[in-house]
């Protein structure tokens, strides 16, 4: 049984919490793409775990986790992250494995990343961690895969600084590097969770190019990155927040206008803790964009939506969601390819009545206020996809599951 979990917006949707929640019923968690620019926050028993590279299932002591083929791995960051987890009581040795096909991010890539950003036609606001450079070199067939460092012929052509870098970690890596394809073939009948990084709108092919990330963050990435075939996927979950956020540059049609919605923006930023886990940058915030969400559902065959952060709207009198764009005087529900069109898109909003009470303790969908259910049911009708999980707080137990998602 293979469940794929992707972000259905521009990342930071709360995937970490959802993967952590679902991992309880899984045998393994496989993070399929991305690098140390991603960031998940998991809160369990009042301990906050910050993850960048390590799959979210690591918090459960008995689960095996894999770092997938389409990941690009900064070894120094990985072992620093593992040190921190170890200090927090997480034992990872013997249960964290890495695909031998994943690529290495060498320290020199970070400098290159910053230099490239300076001469870009469109500065994209990169985190400067060398991720884009690693993916570029991979496509250029100049990258180095983790398994390659154990191949004498390839090791010998590494540059001296690269040799020095991998030598520091080689002994530890030897016990961690695996052929993921063989393992996935053997574990066909296990319950597996494939965890994406960032969000589908940051995918280089279907996202808001060029303001995207360089790794695949759409559902198809789970196949190449997780070493399974497309027909082996049993369910695709798209995680989205009750509003939208975005980090860095790029079009964002529903973004709050600081003059008119500045107060609301600050409230959401503080209650929703909308600051980047990796960079600490305040995230840009806006109303829920249903045009974009519907597009993402269609492009990824999402068959279960997971709504998070709905509790952030608890104190609001009313709330809005974007149901169409007005582009140069024409109304459309088609998600445009052109960045200029998306930048010029004026959101057409539908207003919903707020519920005006705390919903953080609600455990069952039927006990949610009618106004909350009305908002959720509108989203389902608009996208054509059922909202099967609802998260009403950052804790693991602040989660409502409406149907068994471990079924096809
Ligand atoms: P990810 O990258 O998609 O995993 O998202 P992040 O970890 O960056 O962002 C999610 C943040 O929101 C974390 O601090 C979570 O603990 C928190 N969070 C997740 N779900 C909810 C929710 O339903 N309500 C609230 N208030 N916080 C949530």
């Amino acid at each position: 049984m293979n469940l794929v979990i992707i972000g259905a917006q521009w990342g930071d949707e709360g995937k970490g919490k959802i993967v952590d929640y679902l991992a309880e019923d899984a045998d393994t968690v496989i993070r399929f793409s991305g690098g140390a620019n991603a960031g998940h926050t998991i809160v369990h028993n009042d301990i906050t775990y910050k993850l960048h590279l390590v799959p979210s299932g690591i918090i459960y002591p008995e689960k095996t986790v894999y770092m997938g083929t389409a990941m690009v791995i900064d070894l120094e960051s990985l072992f620093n992250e593992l040190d921190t987890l170890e200090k927090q009581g997480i034992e990872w040795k013997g249960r964290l494995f890495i695909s031998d096909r994943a690529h290495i991010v060498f320290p020199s890539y970070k400098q290159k990343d910053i230099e490239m950003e300076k001469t870009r036609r469109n500065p994209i606001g990169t985190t400067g961690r060398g991720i884009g450079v690693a993916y570029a070199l991979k496509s250029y067939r100049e990258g180095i895969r983790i398994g390659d460092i154990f191949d004498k012929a390839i090791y010998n052509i590494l540059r001296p600084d690269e040799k020095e870098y991998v030598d520091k970690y080689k002994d530890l890596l030897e016990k961690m590097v695996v052929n993921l394809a063989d393992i996935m073939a053997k574990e066909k009948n296990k319950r597996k969770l494939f965890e994406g990084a960032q969000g589908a709108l940051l995918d280089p092919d279907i996202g808001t190019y060029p303001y995207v990330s360089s790794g695949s963050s759409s559902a198809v990435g789970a196949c190449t990155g997780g070493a399974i075939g497309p027909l082996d996927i049993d369910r695709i979950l798209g995680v989205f927040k009750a509003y939208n956020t975005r980090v860095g540059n790029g079009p964002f049609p529903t973004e709050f206008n600081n003059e008119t919605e500045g107060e609301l923006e600050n409230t959401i930023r503080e209650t929703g803790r909308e600051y980047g886990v990796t960079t600490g940058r305040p995230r840009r915030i806006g109303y829920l964009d249903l045009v974009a969400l519907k597009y993402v559902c269609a492009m990824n065959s999402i068959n279960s939506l997971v709504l998070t952060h709905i509790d952030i709207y608890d104190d609001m009198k009313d709330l809005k969601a974007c149901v169409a764009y007005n582009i140069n005087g024409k109304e459309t529900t088609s998600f445009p390819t052109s960045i200029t069109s998306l930048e010029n898109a004026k959101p057409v909003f539908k207003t919903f009545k707020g519920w005006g009470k705390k919903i953080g303790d609600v455990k069952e969908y039927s006990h949610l206020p009618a106004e909350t259910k009305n908002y959720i049911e509108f989203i389902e009708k608009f996208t054509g996809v059922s909202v099967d999980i609802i998260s009403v707080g950052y804790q693991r137990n602040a989660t409502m599951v409406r149907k068994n998602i471990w079924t096809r």
Side-chain angles (χ1 to χ4, degrees):
M1 183 84 204
N2 297 319
L3 279 192
V4 173
I5 301 188
I6 60 166
Q9 294 165 324
W10 280 290
D12 309 312
E13 298 92 347
K15 295 178 296 297
K17 174 198 152 162
I18 299 301
V19 174
D20 173 70
Y21 177 82
L22 295 174
E24 184 161 14
D25 292 325
D27 297 304
T28 52
V29 178
I30 302 105
R31 158 95 182 259
F32 60 83
S33 75
N37 54 345
H40 292 315
T41 311
I42 296 167
V43 185
H44 183 53
N45 287 343
D46 291 331
I47 305 178
T48 300
Y49 302 95
K50 302 244 180 222
L51 304 176
H52 300 283
L53 282 161
V54 176
S56 303
I58 198 77
I59 314 300
Y60 291 89
E62 74 284 11
K63 311 281 174 196
T64 308
V65 301
Y66 295 95
M67 295 172 66
T69 296
M71 285 192 75
V72 292
I73 302 174
D74 176 328
L75 300 174
E76 189 182 353
S77 298
L78 172 64
F79 287 104
N80 284 341
E81 190 172 323
L82 291 172
D83 273 352
T84 308
L85 285 172
E86 212 165 280
K87 286 189 190 120
Q88 290 184 297
I90 305 284
E91 187 45 71
W92 57 270
K93 285 188 183 126
R95 62 186 196 95
L96 168 71
F97 299 96
I98 309 175
S99 164
D100 53 5
R101 289 185 164 92
H103 278 242
I104 298 178
V105 177
F106 285 102
S108 61
Y109 294 6
K110 292 180 199 166
Q111 192 51 38
K112 234 178 246 168
D113 213 354
I114 292 161
E115 278 163 23
M116 279 169 74
E117 178 78 358
K118 282 187 201 146
T119 56
R120 264 185 219 280
R121 272 185 276 257
N122 294 306
I124 55 163
T126 168
T127 53
R129 277 157 213 270
I131 314 288
V133 174
Y135 279 114
L137 291 175
K138 173 180 170 178
S139 298
Y140 191 60
R141 276 91 15 104
E142 188 48 21
I144 297 291
R145 300 176 302 177
I146 291 208
D148 291 339
I149 64 175
F150 301 103
D151 177 330
K152 245 199 165 122
I154 299 182
Y155 177 81
N156 285 339
I157 57 166
L158 292 183
R159 301 189 180 98
D161 58 311
E162 293 172 339
K163 275 190 185 144
E164 199 185 314
Y165 183 65
V166 298
D167 283 351
K168 275 194 265 178
Y169 307 107
K170 229 173 156 182
D171 287 347
L172 277 168
L173 285 174
E174 200 161 17
K175 298 184 200 93
M176 299 164 77
V177 171
V178 293
N179 181 329
L180 194 60
D182 285 349
I183 292 177
M184 290 299 114
K186 264 192 230 134
E187 302 201 337
K188 224 176 164 63
N189 297 321
K190 287 210 170 160
R191 283 184 164 199
K192 302 190 248 18
L193 271 184
F194 293 83
E195 172 186 11
Q198 277 96 26
L201 292 172
L202 291 174
D203 181 272
D205 289 297
I206 65 168
T208 50
Y209 188 89
Y211 300 100
V212 292
S213 194
S214 33
S216 170
S217 40
S218 55
V220 287
C223 298
T224 47
I228 53 165
L231 293 179
D232 289 330
I233 299 178
D234 294 285
R235 184 171 290 281
I236 301 175
L237 291 96
V239 184
F240 73 107
K241 281 195 268 218
Y243 47 91
N244 271 70
T245 60
R246 167 159 214 166
V247 175
N249 304 340
F252 184 176
T254 62
E255 184 168 16
F256 290 143
N257 175 330
N258 198 269
E259 272 168 33
T260 51
E261 288 145 331
E263 207 174 308
L264 177 58
E265 180 178 357
N266 286 337
T267 310
I268 295 183
R269 181 166 297 127
E270 296 316 317
T271 45
R273 298 189 279 182
E274 295 298 351
Y275 295 91
V277 176
T278 303
T279 58
R281 288 191 274 190
R283 294 175 185 146
R284 297 160 65 195
I285 306 175
Y287 283 116
L288 177 63
D289 186 340
L290 285 171
V291 177
L293 185 64
K294 187 174 180 177
Y295 164 76
V296 166
C297 286
M299 294 303 289
N300 293 281
S301 305
I302 289 174
N303 50 359
S304 273
L305 278 168
V306 179
L307 169 62
T308 67
H309 294 80
I310 182 83
D311 53 299
I312 303 300
Y313 277 157
D314 280 358
D315 297 328
M316 282 172 64
K317 251 182 57 210
D318 52 36
L319 44 137
K320 294 179 192 174
C322 167
V323 292
Y325 297 146
N326 187 314
I327 303 175
N328 303 327
K330 270 202 187 130
E331 211 167 289
T332 179
T333 52
S334 158
F335 189 72
T337 305
S338 155
I339 289 301
T340 311
S341 296
L342 208 49
E343 268 160 2
N344 291 334
K346 305 233 173 345
V348 177
F349 285 119
K350 177 175 164 59
T351 302
F352 298 81
K353 199 167 172 283
W355 38 96
K357 60 173 89 136
K358 300 275 176 232
I359 57 170
D361 291 331
V362 178
K363 296 281 175 258
E364 265 181 59
Y365 183 77
S366 60
H367 297 164
L368 281 172
E371 294 84 356
T372 322
K373 286 193 278 198
N374 183 40
Y375 184 59
I376 295 170
E377 281 155 27
F378 184 84
I379 295 169
E380 293 184 314
K381 216 182 271 159
F382 193 94
T383 58
V385 183
S386 53
V387 175
D388 292 334
I389 301 179
I390 298 154
S391 166
V392 289
Y394 57 81
Q395 302 90 342
R396 199 181 270 175
N397 63 3
T399 315
M400 275 170 253
V401 180
R402 293 173 75 192
K403 81 165 186 216
N404 178 11
I405 46 108
W406 287 102
T407 54
R408 189 173 254 271

